[in-house]
Amino acid sequence: MTEFLWELPVRGDGRHVDTVSAHRGGFDFLDQVVLAAELSGLDGIVVPYDPAGEESWVVAASALRQTRHLRVGVEFHPAFGTPVYAAKLSATLQRLSHGRLDWRLQVETDAADAAARGDRVTGPDRYRRAAEFLTVARGVWNEQQVLPGRFGGTGFEFGGDYYDVTDGGFRGILSGLPFPTVHLTGDSPEALALSAEHGDVHLFDDGPGVDDAAASLRAAANRHGRTVRTGLALPVVARETEDEAWARVLRQWREVHPAADESDVRALADDGARWAGFDRIGYHRSTGLVGSYEQVAQALSQYRARGFEVFEITGHPHIEELHRAGEHLLHLVDPAGRTLTTETHA
């Protein structure tokens, strides 16, 4: 079954480009978005790491508390803390949420953010540190129940360039839990190598060469005896008709470029529903999908046929766009997985 995720607006939300309403910020609003995602039938949400937004671990814990079925992915840097601490924190969240926590490591970062966090690890060294981080976190994690009864761990030892562990390993209530599904991103050789050896899901931005990058990742993972699912992060504007969708995009475009006409917007359109102007109307990514529900569903189905299984979609205002996606879009992309039948109801 295709997996659909939604990225939470940790800086707040608004109806207009680059504006945040006083009523669309804070935990009350985020709780509404999380519940809208669950009611709309999405599989999970992602809480992004954002230096100017709410803290991702706190929001993720709140989201797990608010929901019964959604998977919740928390994005963080390996410099957040030691892998043993991150694993212990996650073990508690896994136990209390019945195993619904995912991880998304943000390995690359801008220089200003790294300096603010006191992170002096740069370039390819970040990927080596991330590999050690995941090795240690998995090493101290025991998915099989280990009874308490003595001090110390369960014998995990590690000596690396960034982390050292002596007699590590969780016992008691911190053991017997599923390790978080690890989501990774990026299209550099270092990013793909990290995912091939340590990732479970790898999300790409759509663009030239994405199919080749995904194929390279799958081949590298296979050489490690592993399988890594691939996915795409895509902003979406979908409406009943194609004209309605483009009218919505044009309204947002004119908030930034008041004198623009429709030809300026359409100039960034590709074949089908792909449009490369989302970063100009307040989104973090440039390429996403615009069109009728049927057109956007067809584009997503074509991505599925190319081997992409996970889609992290987003739109704003978030609550309204979530309900549109749940009611009109998801079942068109994955009718077998999203349509309630008598058998599944029973």
Side-chain angles (χ1 to χ4, degrees):
M1 186 178 77
T2 306
E3 186 174 352
F4 289 97
L5 312 175
W6 190 274
E7 185 179 82
L8 289 192
V10 293
R11 289 193 191 189
D13 191 20
R15 299 194 64 83
H16 304 286
V17 176
D18 291 334
T19 63
V20 177
S21 166
H23 301 292
R24 290 178 176 258
F27 279 100
D28 287 343
F29 172 70
L30 285 171
D31 287 346
Q32 292 178 51
V33 178
V34 169
L35 292 174
E38 183 156 76
L39 290 171
S40 298
L42 275 85
D43 300 288
I45 56 172
V46 176
V47 187
Y49 169 80
D50 186 340
E54 305 287 4
E55 168 54 43
S56 58
W57 281 96
V58 178
V59 175
S62 177
L64 288 167
R65 174 75 171 174
Q66 292 291 328
T67 60
R68 295 180 59 193
H69 307 291
L70 279 182
R71 299 198 64 81
V72 176
V74 57
E75 183 178 48
F76 62 98
H77 282 282
F80 154 79
T82 70
V84 177
Y85 175 69
K88 181 179 180 182
L89 182 62
S90 298
T92 296
L93 292 174
Q94 287 292 63
R95 185 170 64 84
L96 298 179
S97 69
H98 304 288
R100 292 185 288 118
L101 179 72
D102 296 337
W103 280 4
R104 185 166 80 180
L105 259 65
Q106 189 184 95
V107 182
E108 285 297 332
T109 187
D110 60 67
D113 178 40
R117 290 183 289 103
D119 185 3
R120 299 178 181 176
V121 181
T122 60
D125 289 341
R126 288 182 176 152
Y127 287 94
R128 288 192 284 273
R129 178 180 63 183
E132 284 195 12
F133 186 99
L134 290 169
T135 297
V136 170
R138 291 187 189 273
V140 299
W141 194 284
N142 286 310
E143 293 199 344
Q144 299 300 316
Q145 184 73 45
V146 179
L147 296 178
R150 71 176 183 88
F151 294 105
T154 56
F156 174 73
E157 307 278 341
F158 184 86
D161 295 328
Y162 302 96
Y163 307 105
D164 292 285
V165 179
T166 301
D167 191 21
F170 294 158
R171 294 175 169 273
I173 62 172
L174 298 179
S175 65
L177 301 161
F179 191 79
T181 299
V182 176
H183 294 237
L184 295 168
T185 61
D187 55 10
S188 68
E190 295 86 357
L192 298 181
L194 178 67
S195 255
E197 193 169 358
H198 296 280
D200 300 308
V201 177
H202 192 98
L203 285 173
F204 295 93
D205 290 346
D206 192 14
V210 68
D211 291 285
D212 291 339
S216 297
L217 170 59
R218 296 184 193 110
N222 186 60
R223 289 193 292 272
H224 287 286
R226 305 182 69 250
T227 299
V228 178
R229 292 184 294 153
T230 56
L232 292 170
L234 296 163
V236 170
V237 174
R239 293 294 187 271
E240 290 286 350
T241 68
E242 180 181 7
D243 288 342
E244 288 180 41
W246 284 111
R248 169 63 177 163
V249 171
L250 181 59
R251 284 195 299 273
Q252 292 186 305
W253 185 274
R254 284 175 173 163
E255 292 174 14
V256 184
H257 310 284
D261 59 30
E262 188 170 356
S263 63
D264 298 316
V265 176
R266 296 271 192 167
L268 297 172
D270 201 345
D271 293 335
R274 292 177 73 250
W275 185 62
F278 277 98
D279 56 337
R280 306 189 192 189
I281 58 171
Y283 291 85
H284 300 305
R285 296 176 173 86
S286 62
T287 303
L289 301 175
V290 178
S292 68
Y293 296 120
E294 290 77 11
Q295 288 171 321
V296 171
Q298 183 179 25
L300 290 169
S301 296
Q302 289 170 351
Y303 286 130
R304 288 180 63 200
R306 288 157 52 185
F308 296 101
E309 304 173 62
V310 180
F311 297 101
E312 181 187 304
I313 59 178
T314 191
H316 63 77
H318 283 254
I319 293 175
E320 292 87 336
E321 295 302 316
L322 268 166
H323 285 303
R324 284 191 176 98
E327 184 175 355
H328 300 291
L329 181 61
L330 302 189
H331 70 281
L332 295 177
V333 185
D334 185 18
R338 305 283 158 181
T339 303
L340 184 66
T341 65
T342 302
E343 181 179 350
T344 57
H345 184 71

